[in-house]
Every structure is written in structure tokens, then in C-alpha cells.
Amino acid sequence: MDVALIPHIDPIDIDLGSSDKGSPNTSAKPRKKTMTSVYLKYFETAADGKSRRCKFCGQSYSIATATVILQGEIDTEIFIGTGNLGRHLSNRHPGYDKSGDIVSNPARQPTSIIKKSQPQGKPQQIDYDHLNWLIVKWLILSSLPPSTLEEKWLANSYKFLNPSIQLWSTEKYKAVFREVFRSMQEDVKASLEHVSSKISVTLDFWNSYDQISFMSVTCQWIDESWSFQKVLLDITHIPYPCGGLEIFHSIVKVLKMYNIESRILSCTHDNSQDAVHACHALKEHLDGQKVGPFCYIPCAARTLNLIIDDGLRPTKSIIAKVREFVLELNACLDISEDFVQFTTVYQEGNWKFPLDASVRWSGNYQMLDIVRKAGKSMEAVIRKYEETLGSKMLLNSAEKNVVNIVHQYLEPFYKTTNNICTNKVATVGLVLFFMDHISETVAACRDSRHNPDWLKSAAEDMAKKAKNYSNQVCNIFTYMTAILDPRIKGELIPENLNSGNHLEEARSHFMRYYSSNHFPSVTSGYSAQEIEDGGSVSFAEEIARKKRRASMSNATDELTQYLSEPPAPIPTDVLEWWKVNNTRYPRLSVMARDFLAVQATSLAPEELFCGRGDDIDKQRYCMPHDSTPALLCIKSWIQSGFKLKYKSSEIDYERLMELSATSTVDSSTAGSDKKSK
């Protein structure tokens, strides 16, 4: 095993950049060894000089030698069949090739690694570091705590493969995770130091099974090449009583840890009152430090989810009945095959198994879809398997009618959530555009005289939530974020947000923060030397002042010219549009980089609307308190492209996997050779 790939945790740390193979003389060309060197390293020359003795058990074998000259040095080459030595090691000492490098010539030991001496025949401490580091990666990517390895059946499975396997203790795994967390956190800090634009943060909250409250803080920005960037900053425990004040202090602690307190432009929260109070306190804190404008907005996805729940209210019992049917379809191959056959006969579409049975919006809508689009097939399957499924799953005509009405009413909601989930960059402007459409749909349902009272009642509750959201997001910051989306501008912006004063406030904000601060040439000025000279201004300086004034006018005209042009088509890639047009609007593009990073949702929409969120919730809920921050942060950082490190040294997992694959092939080949012999 190449120990240069992994750090040795106990009892002595090994530098990741070192190696324990080869000669210290790096300039000499290495001698090509025969295949026998693979086995001979585990044997030493006996006193008679004519036999080899096993370093593990002392068993001797006769050998033949021949003296050769390589690069001016006398050396000895071994000529012996590998069969006896290989069979001896495989039969008497399984796992010998994982027991560390045992080299017969002390002069060829590497000088850059120090190991504790151990008696002959006893495997060295580094035997299974390779395996343990692979387990570290497995635990992280699977979001499993180290206590998983305490399960006796798992431990016995490893022992069955190799009785000599030694896994680290749970405490050692935890210590490794803590050190990996610290090392990778330094990389995240370093990456944020190079961010030249404003940064926006989002907050997400959840409780674990032991009722510990956690908050994740994620930051987003748009880099200079107009690529959207996102990285998790921290997952922090909110101390009791978990109110707005505790959340506020936790946020400030994270911002200071990463030294981004002065660069925060916005915070998107989860709509809870405690989060609102915390964000309000954060705004007062940042305003007091005069670090620049700051705003906070509610999560559009959570608001939309609450609105949809009100719309689903009349069908809750029906959806529960259909979901039970879907679970049986997914569990039984015969039933699912019959369902597919019936849908073919009745021409009721193609259905991909397993069907989405999630309790989230995607799954709920599919329950309605099945009744609406494959009702005959569903009824035929239930009647055929009535003894198994029971007749209670059959829907009566009134229930079918309710499903048809609600399905038709909620179809625009499904299209909206699907678009938000699949959009590359769901900007605030685009989301407000969709939310405005949702408000209009709800209002039309509520005011229609043709809809049943139960649906109009649900629409009334939906309208209240939509109006509350609209009131919270109606401010100058969301207005500026919306108009800087070239697809929205002023034409498609919601009417309640398009206040007469907002445009002038946007111009004032642009002139104050983006016409001079980002461009040193647009400054008022005279040099300090001119002021000391009594303010005398040369003719050349007067010309320069006129140029600067013209530049200031051009800065204002950038916004005017941008807004005077028609919006881009909705399918347009916003970031690509600004990347192409940033030379036309050099100052306005700087503002766009800041404001387009403001998030309309506090978490990825698919985590709220789709079944993926169920898996995330299960992992979070089951995670022990002492493992949650490190494991989930490390996993997120790896997915964001950061390398897994231990004590500031990268773990080369690609090489570790190569060695694992090679070891597996070698073991398989050795087993085949043994059978053939």
C-alpha cells in the first residue's frame, strides 16, 4: 500500500507528501525487479546464506542466486519459482500484503517517515489505514455517524473477510471528522476572501430526533465570469430557547467566522417569526456598523407550499386512499404489471415505476394525476385484487368529481413549481413573476360564481397567504433585483411592486454605490497637492473635470438605456445575458452581479416540493448531535468541489480507489492461481 496517500492517525502521523517506497537516491535509475521480489520482501536470508526464512513464522526455503552488475554496483538477483513462497504466504499468513512494507535491506528504508519499531511477525499499525480512510469517505457521503461501525453485524462482516482487520474506534473517527472539518473550513474561508461581489445568505432550520434545533447558513454569489456560486458556511446548534435573539447571535457568529459581515447584501429566511425577528436584529446590527444596504425577504417556496396545502385540503382523505394504492403498486410486481397492461388497453398513458408516493407536493399531485388520467386502470386493478387491496380503495363518483376539479385548478401550481425547480437560476424577479400569476389564479377561483363553495373557501385561505407574502417582498430591494433580470425589467414586474418612487430610489442607489465606488476614475476630484496649493486648477484639470461629469451622466444613462430596451425572452439564460452585455453596461453589470445573487427561496425548491427532501429530512432527523455539523458540512463542501483534507493535506481518494481495485484484482488472480495449482 502506498502510505503517501493517507495520513497515519495513531500512534504517529505520517506526512501526506511522503513515501515509504524506493531508494533515497532519486537520481539513480531504479533496477527492474523480477516477480519474485513481491514475495522475497517477506523473507530474510538464513545464516547459511543458501536459504530464505519467513519473517512471520521462520519457515525456511532453499534458493539459488546469481551475481549481476547493475549501474556499476554488484547486486544479487534471486532465481526461484514463486510457487512455494506465494503458497506459503497465502496459506499461512493471509493478508500479508496489507501488513506494511517489510524490506530486507535496511539501507533502502525511506528516511522521510518515522515509524515505531515492532517485533518481527507483528503487523505494523498502518495496516488498515487504507480501509479506514475509505470508510471515512463512505460515512460522509452517506451521512452516517461513526457509531454506525459499532453495529456488531457490520464488524463481523469485516472480520469474516479478514480476521486481522482493525477498524478505528468510534472516538478516533470522530476526531478525524473534526480535524477534516477544520482543515476544509480553512479552504472555504480562503475561497471567500477572493469574492469581489456582494454575498447573499439563506437560512434553513430543522430539529433532530433528540429535539436539538439546528440552523444551516449558506452563502451565494456570482463570480467575475458570471457563474453562480453556492457554499454551505456552517450548520450550527441554536441554543435554548431557540428564539430570535439566539438565531441572531448564531448568524453573526458565522458571518464573523468567515469575515464576510461587511459584504452581506441580503438574507432569505424560512418565514418563521423567530427568523424574521433575527433578521430584523441583523439589519439593525449591520446598519449600525454602516457596512452598506441590507435587506431580508421571506422564502417564496415555503409560501407557495403553504398556499398549495390549502388548495389540497378538500382532497386530503382521497389522496391518502390513492397513496395506499400506489404503495401496493410499487411493492408488488404482479399488480404493477397488470396496471401497465390496463393503462395500455384503456389508453391511459405510460407510467414509470416506482410511482412517486412522496407526501410532498410532487407526490400529492401524482395521486391526483392517477385518478384523473388512469382512473379506469386503477379501478380495474383494485377489483382484480380485491382480496388483497380491499374494496375501500375504490373511489365513488363524488370523490372522482372532487379530484377532477382540484386537479384542474392546481395544474398551474404544478407547472410553476416545476419551472422554479428546473430553472438554472431562479432569480427573485422570475419568482415574483410566477407568484403574481399564482395570486391572479387564486383570486379568479375565489371570485368565480361557478366554483363550489368548498373550493372558494380554500381559495380564500390561499389568497390571504399570497397577500401576506406580497406585502413582505414589496420594497425597493426586491424591486431593484427584479428589474435587473433582463427578462423582467419594468414590463413584467408585479403591479404592487412597481411603485412610482421605486424607480427613482433605484437610480439614487445606483448612483451612490455603483457609479463611483467601483470606478476610481469617477471621483470628484482634486489631488491633495492641488488642495494644498489653494485649490488652483490647471486648464488640463478643467478638461478632466468635464470628462468626469460626462462619465457620471453616462453612468446614469446606463440604467435608463437598459430599462428602455424590451425584456429578453423568458427562456434566456440571465447570467449568460449579462456576461455578453456587461461591456455595454460596465457599472450596471456590477450592480447586477450583487443583486441577482439574492435568493428567492431559503432552500433549493426541489428539496421542498420533491421526494428528494424526504431523504434529506430523514438524514437530518437521525443524525446524532455530536456528528451533525461536521458530517453534513464536509459532505456539502465535497459536493461543492472542495477536496477532503486532513491537517491541511489532501486525501487522494482517486489513488486510494485505484489501489483498492488493484488489490481486488490481485486477490482474485491469486485465488484463481491457487485453485489451478
Side-chain angles (χ1 to χ4, degrees):
M1 180 181 63
D2 189 352
V3 297
L5 301 174
I6 56 176
H8 180 36
I9 304 302
D10 182 49
I12 297 174
D13 288 323
I14 296 180
D15 182 11
L16 286 169
S18 62
S19 173
D20 64 347
K21 294 187 181 296
S23 169
N25 183 7
T26 58
S27 62
K29 184 178 180 181
R31 179 171 63 88
K32 184 177 180 181
K33 297 182 179 180
T34 65
M35 285 298 293
T36 58
S37 62
V38 175
Y39 302 122
L40 289 175
K41 64 191 294 186
Y42 302 102
F43 292 83
E44 59 186 357
T45 305
D48 59 7
K50 297 182 180 180
S51 61
R52 284 268 175 169
R53 184 170 58 196
C54 176
K55 292 184 178 182
F56 294 118
C57 64
Q59 177 70 40
S60 297
Y61 290 88
S62 60
I63 61 173
T65 64
T67 300
V68 296
I69 297 178
L70 292 175
Q71 296 182 354
E73 296 182 359
I74 297 178
D75 206 341
T76 300
E77 185 75 26
I78 308 300
F79 296 92
I80 184 171
T82 61
N84 289 338
L85 302 187
R87 281 193 293 272
H88 172 82
L89 292 171
S90 297
N91 295 336
R92 297 288 297 275
H93 312 291
Y96 67 92
D97 55 335
K98 303 295 183 184
S99 61
D101 288 336
I102 304 174
V103 185
S104 59
N105 184 2
R108 296 198 178 188
Q109 288 282 4
T111 59
S112 59
I113 300 177
I114 302 175
K115 301 180 182 179
K116 289 185 177 180
S117 60
Q118 298 184 10
Q120 290 183 349
K122 182 179 179 181
Q124 296 183 2
Q125 188 67 31
I126 199 172
D127 291 358
Y128 297 105
D129 276 359
H130 187 152
L131 171 64
N132 281 295
W133 277 104
L134 292 176
I135 291 176
V136 165
K137 187 71 172 286
W138 168 61
L139 292 174
I140 291 171
L141 296 183
S142 303
S143 299
L144 295 173
S147 57
T148 303
L149 300 173
E150 295 177 354
E151 168 57 50
K152 66 177 183 179
W153 291 105
L154 180 61
N156 287 340
S157 298
Y158 281 112
K159 292 294 184 182
F160 175 78
L161 294 174
N162 190 336
S164 62
I165 281 181
Q166 298 174 7
L167 300 182
W168 295 336
S169 66
T170 299
E171 291 304 316
K172 185 177 290 188
Y173 277 112
K174 290 180 180 179
V176 169
F177 286 137
R178 288 192 294 268
E179 182 56 43
V180 170
F181 174 81
R182 284 192 292 268
S183 296
M184 296 186 69
Q185 189 179 56
E186 291 301 317
D187 282 357
V188 176
K189 289 181 183 179
S191 69
L192 291 176
E193 290 178 359
H194 300 289
V195 176
S196 59
S197 62
K198 290 285 188 177
I199 294 173
S200 295
V201 298
T202 56
L203 309 178
D204 192 21
F205 301 85
W206 73 92
N207 290 331
S208 64
Y209 71 93
D210 47 7
Q211 293 303 298
I212 299 297
S213 297
F214 289 99
M215 174 183 69
S216 65
V217 183
T218 306
C219 74
Q220 299 85 10
W221 71 95
I222 298 173
D223 64 21
E224 294 179 353
S225 62
W226 289 95
S227 295
F228 181 78
Q229 303 296 334
K230 174 181 177 181
V231 65
L232 175 66
L233 296 180
D234 199 8
I235 293 176
T236 179
H237 164 226
I238 307 298
Y240 181 84
C242 311
L245 185 61
E246 290 75 27
I247 295 173
F248 161 69
H249 288 305
S250 298
I251 297 173
V252 172
K253 182 180 178 181
V254 173
L255 298 182
K256 289 183 176 179
M257 180 191 308
Y258 287 93
N259 194 29
I260 58 175
E261 194 176 13
S262 62
R263 291 183 284 160
I264 294 298
L265 177 63
S266 73
C267 179
T268 308
H269 55 79
D270 72 338
N271 303 7
S272 66
Q273 285 302 310
D274 288 333
V276 172
H277 293 156
C279 289
H280 182 72
L282 179 61
K283 179 173 174 56
E284 291 183 340
H285 171 73
L286 296 176
D287 288 347
Q289 294 188 343
K290 298 181 179 180
V291 298
F294 171 80
C295 68
Y296 56 93
I297 61 175
C299 175
R302 292 189 183 277
T303 300
L304 185 54
N305 195 54
L306 292 175
I307 294 173
I308 291 172
D309 277 346
D310 285 339
L312 289 172
R313 188 174 60 203
T315 62
K316 288 290 186 182
S317 60
I318 303 173
I319 287 176
K321 189 184 297 187
V322 180
R323 178 172 283 108
E324 188 173 344
F325 169 73
V326 169
L327 292 174
E328 293 290 344
L329 280 183
N330 290 339
C332 181
L333 181 61
D334 291 339
I335 296 178
S336 61
E337 288 180 347
D338 282 340
F339 179 77
V340 171
Q341 291 179 1
F342 281 123
T343 56
T344 302
V345 172
Y346 292 123
Q347 296 182 347
E348 292 185 327
N350 298 319
W351 300 84
K352 183 178 180 181
F353 285 86
L355 299 175
D356 184 1
S358 170
V359 297
R360 296 175 184 267
W361 164 234
S362 63
N364 286 329
Y365 190 75
Q366 183 155 74
M367 301 305 105
L368 300 177
D369 240 13
I370 291 172
V371 179
R372 180 77 172 80
K373 300 177 180 178
K376 293 180 181 179
S377 301
M378 176 182 172
E379 185 172 341
V381 170
I382 293 174
R383 294 191 183 281
K384 180 175 180 179
Y385 293 92
E386 188 170 353
E387 293 184 2
T388 302
L389 303 179
S391 59
K392 293 182 179 180
M393 288 188 182
L394 290 171
L395 302 182
N396 57 42
S397 57
E399 290 174 324
K400 293 178 182 178
N401 184 52
V402 169
V403 169
N404 288 337
I405 293 174
V406 173
H407 182 276
Q408 182 178 0
Y409 171 51
L410 293 181
E411 186 175 7
F413 294 78
Y414 179 75
K415 293 179 178 178
T416 297
T417 55
N418 186 60
N419 196 292
I420 293 175
C421 289
T422 56
N423 201 280
K424 182 180 178 181
V425 180
T427 64
V428 170
L430 183 66
V431 171
L432 291 178
F433 168 74
F434 281 126
M435 292 296 287
D436 188 53
H437 173 65
I438 290 297
S439 296
E440 293 175 352
T441 302
V442 172
C445 176
R446 179 195 58 192
D447 300 336
S448 174
R449 292 180 297 176
H450 304 289
N451 289 328
D453 290 341
W454 54 264
L455 183 60
K456 294 173 69 174
S457 175
E460 182 67 33
D461 293 336
M462 298 168 77
K464 291 178 181 178
K465 292 181 173 62
K467 184 177 181 180
N468 182 52
Y469 172 80
S470 177
N471 291 337
Q472 291 186 64
V473 299
C474 185
N475 57 62
I476 179 59
F477 289 98
T478 51
Y479 174 83
M480 289 189 291
T481 303
I483 65 171
L484 288 171
D485 186 332
R487 303 167 298 183
I488 306 299
K489 294 189 176 181
E491 285 80 350
L492 299 182
I493 201 167
E495 183 178 352
N496 64 330
L497 187 60
N498 201 9
S499 168
N501 295 331
H502 281 170
L503 180 57
E504 291 307 314
E505 291 180 36
R507 292 184 189 278
S508 175
H509 183 90
F510 173 55
M511 290 298 301
R512 180 177 180 183
Y513 292 101
Y514 295 94
S515 65
S516 59
N517 289 9
H518 292 76
F519 298 87
S521 62
V522 189
T523 57
S524 78
Y526 303 108
S527 66
Q529 182 63 42
E530 289 171 334
I531 295 174
E532 291 177 1
D533 292 341
S536 60
V537 180
S538 66
F539 177 69
E541 180 58 30
E542 288 183 2
I543 298 176
R545 288 180 62 184
K546 291 180 181 179
K547 292 287 187 181
R548 293 186 185 111
R549 287 172 182 166
S551 180
M552 291 287 284
S553 299
N554 290 338
T556 306
D557 289 341
E558 280 190 25
L559 181 59
T560 302
Q561 180 181 345
Y562 166 79
L563 292 175
S564 67
E565 297 175 355
I570 292 295
T572 300
D573 185 323
V574 176
L575 300 185
E576 185 63 28
W577 188 95
W578 274 106
K579 184 177 181 179
V580 172
N581 289 276
N582 76 90
T583 53
R584 295 177 60 206
Y585 308 110
R587 293 165 175 79
L588 194 62
S589 64
V590 176
M591 184 177 176
R593 276 183 59 203
D594 288 347
F595 278 83
L596 291 178
V598 176
Q599 296 298 290
T601 62
S602 62
L603 75 171
E606 60 269 20
E607 294 180 16
L608 190 65
F609 296 124
C610 306
R612 175 188 170 191
D614 292 332
D615 297 332
I616 294 175
D617 285 349
K618 290 174 185 176
Q619 291 176 347
R620 289 174 170 178
Y621 183 79
C622 298
M623 189 76 68
H625 166 55
D626 59 351
S627 301
T628 297
L631 272 176
L632 296 185
C633 283
I634 294 171
K635 178 180 179 180
S636 176
W637 292 337
I638 291 175
Q639 292 172 340
S640 296
F642 291 91
K643 299 297 184 180
L644 192 146
K645 289 187 174 181
Y646 178 80
K647 293 190 175 180
S648 302
S649 297
E650 181 183 335
I651 310 299
D652 190 348
Y653 272 102
E654 292 184 4
R655 179 60 177 151
L656 286 178
M657 292 301 292
E658 289 177 4
L659 290 176
S660 299
T662 303
S663 175
T664 302
V665 172
D666 290 344
S667 299
S668 176
T669 304
S672 301
D673 292 344
K674 182 177 178 181
K675 289 181 180 180
S676 62
K677 293 179 180 180

